[in-house]
Amino acid sequence: MTIRIARIGSIDIAYEISGPVDAPVVLLSHCFCADHRFWDAHLSACAGCRVVRYDTRGHGASSCPAGPYSLDMLAGDVVGLLDNLEIEKVHFAGVSMGGMIGQTLALTFPERLASLALVNTTPRYSSAQRVAWRERAATVLNDGMAAVHDDLMRRWFTDDAIESANAGYLYMADAVHRFLPQSFDAVTAAMCQLDTTERLGEILLPTLVVAAPDDPGVPPELSEKLAQDIPTSELHWLTPARHLATLEHVETFNRLMRAHLQKMRNLPRP
């Protein structure tokens, strides 16, 4: 597949598109510090669909304009990409930061979504979490990505995944090394704005929630809140895992995602 570029306002958004032209469209949104390749191991879950993967502003081959960014801005980039591709509606799946963008889209542009998958994401950050992210951003601006690399890896992966250097860990370790300090600062500013807790009941889309009970960034009660407050949702746990659970439970997540998509559009089994 070839990376393509869409001009959205004043920035470029990089994306890849694959699958049958006339099939239902799935839009995949990666986690913080990653790019569209986060989803490489999960593409089989979307067999039979038209799949769009993109690099969020500040990530990968997309533009990295000066920050701070906002979640509304990141959601607007998605709508701009859909307009550019002349796609009316998508099944949206987002991991962590991507799930924050998904919640924002569901509340501001619900007509553009057919369903939602929220993976290892939260409806809000605590005051302590906001302070921690802004402190990490200050550290990165002063000392570079190496200063927070190991701490992030321990938050995102179990000890077994780190020690065995599984494929997901190797991908994210490299992505963090290459991530730009100014993007770290700009994107964490957006993430720290997050609080959808009082509006989750407005999300009426069929929603898959996937979480890990030992995720240091998303307490289990907040994963449960997503599932309880979004009326048409279901919750599934991946364990043992930390924050990037799908990269340690690839096949289990693929089965969950495939079942979700089949339920939405009666897709054929691969």
Side-chain angles (χ1 to χ4, degrees):
M1 288 178 283
T2 302
I3 294 178
R4 307 182 188 189
I5 299 296
R7 189 70 176 175
I8 311 299
S10 61
I11 70 166
D12 292 332
I13 295 294
Y15 69 97
E16 286 189 352
I17 188 166
S18 61
V21 174
D22 58 350
V25 181
V26 178
L27 182 68
L28 303 175
S29 185
H30 59 78
C31 68
F32 180 51
C33 290
D35 61 17
H36 68 280
R37 293 176 299 156
F38 178 95
W39 294 97
D40 282 356
H42 301 311
L43 287 179
S44 64
C46 306
C49 295
R50 186 77 164 159
V51 179
V52 179
R53 300 185 287 166
Y54 75 103
D55 294 346
T56 300
R57 174 190 297 246
H59 295 72
S62 290
S63 296
C64 302
Y69 304 162
S70 70
L71 287 172
D72 284 338
M73 180 186 295
L74 302 183
D77 292 341
V78 173
V79 173
L81 177 61
L82 295 182
D83 288 345
N84 183 279
L85 297 176
E86 299 183 342
I87 296 172
E88 180 179 351
K89 186 171 289 193
V90 297
H91 298 279
F92 184 97
V95 175
S96 189
M97 175 193 72
M100 298 177 188
I101 296 170
Q103 292 172 67
T104 306
L105 282 167
L107 291 169
T108 53
F109 299 97
E111 71 281 0
R112 305 306 294 266
L113 303 185
S115 70
L116 191 59
L118 302 175
V119 183
N120 289 104
T121 196
T122 181
R124 69 164 180 254
Y125 277 149
S126 67
S127 296
Q129 285 175 310
R130 293 190 185 99
V131 169
W133 276 117
R134 299 314 291 153
E135 288 179 344
R136 290 186 191 105
T139 297
V140 166
L141 289 174
N142 286 329
D143 303 322
M145 291 299 302
V148 299
H149 181 276
D150 290 351
D151 174 62
L152 293 177
M153 292 301 105
R154 286 190 295 269
R155 294 178 60 80
W156 293 347
F157 293 95
T158 63
D159 293 344
D160 284 347
I162 294 171
E163 290 169 7
S164 66
N166 78 4
Y169 167 78
L170 290 175
Y171 162 70
M172 285 304 305
D174 177 64
V176 170
H177 277 307
R178 292 184 290 103
F179 203 59
L180 297 176
Q182 59 266 36
S183 291
F184 193 104
D185 181 53
V187 178
T188 54
M191 290 161 49
C192 286
Q193 297 172 348
L194 177 73
D195 190 348
T196 62
T197 50
E198 299 302 317
R199 299 188 62 194
L200 292 174
E202 299 174 33
I203 299 176
L204 303 178
L205 299 162
T207 302
L208 171 68
V209 179
V210 179
D214 297 320
D215 185 339
V218 185
E221 60 267 22
L222 288 181
S223 299
E224 291 168 351
K225 182 173 181 60
L226 283 174
Q228 290 168 0
D229 289 7
I230 297 174
T232 54
S233 65
E234 59 181 50
L235 171 63
H236 295 271
W237 299 100
L238 298 178
T239 189
R242 291 187 182 145
H243 188 54
L244 297 183
T246 73
L247 296 183
E248 296 198 51
H249 297 276
V250 172
E251 294 306 320
T252 301
F253 173 74
N254 286 353
R255 287 194 295 272
L256 292 171
M257 186 67 183
R258 184 66 187 171
H260 169 69
L261 292 173
Q262 286 173 338
K263 187 186 302 182
M264 296 304 100
R265 297 299 297 264
N266 296 315
L267 294 173
R269 295 185 180 276

